[in-house]
């Protein structure tokens, strides 16, 4: 599963881990990605979305229909 939110577009950030001796090694800061299933009443089917925690809260606030409209407007396939 790729660390990419379909709704908000959040992706991993990159930076350094700095040790006690101040050596720097590369690391990734992954967003909190979850796979969530929603019932889509207009199409009579379930949709499975890969969302960040903030994306899940956004769907709860605006509704699944509006969220899918945003995903499709960004060019996402659902």
């Amino acid at each position: 599963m790729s660390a990419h939110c379909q709704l908000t577009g959040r992706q991993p950030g990159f930076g350094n881990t700095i040790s006690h001796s101040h050596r720097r090694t590369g690391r990734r800061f992954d967003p909190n990605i979850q796979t969530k299933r929603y019932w889509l009443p207009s199409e009579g089917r379930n949709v499975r979305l890969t969302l960040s925690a903030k994306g899940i809260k956004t769907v709860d606030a605006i509704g699944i229909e509006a969220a899918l409209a945003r995903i499709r407007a960004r060019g996402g396939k659902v």
Side-chain angles (χ1 to χ4, degrees):
M1 168 169 43
S2 68
H4 176 263
C5 178
Q6 290 180 297
L7 181 60
T8 62
R10 292 199 174 205
Q11 294 176 340
F14 295 90
N16 290 311
T17 298
I18 302 179
S19 69
H20 179 69
S21 65
H22 216 64
R23 285 184 53 139
R24 294 163 188 247
T25 54
R27 64 159 293 182
R28 272 170 59 134
F29 294 91
D30 286 329
N32 184 6
I33 298 293
Q34 310 291 326
T35 301
K36 191 112 165 89
R37 216 171 64 149
Y38 290 98
W39 172 250
L40 193 57
S42 63
E43 298 180 17
R45 67 184 182 105
N46 286 315
V47 292
R48 188 169 303 222
L49 299 176
T50 304
L51 300 171
S52 62
K54 182 170 181 173
I56 292 172
K57 292 175 191 174
T58 303
V59 171
D60 291 343
I62 67 174
I64 186 62
E65 300 286 344
L68 281 179
R70 284 189 192 179
I71 292 171
R72 289 176 175 147
R74 294 182 68 210
K77 181 178 178 290
V78 178

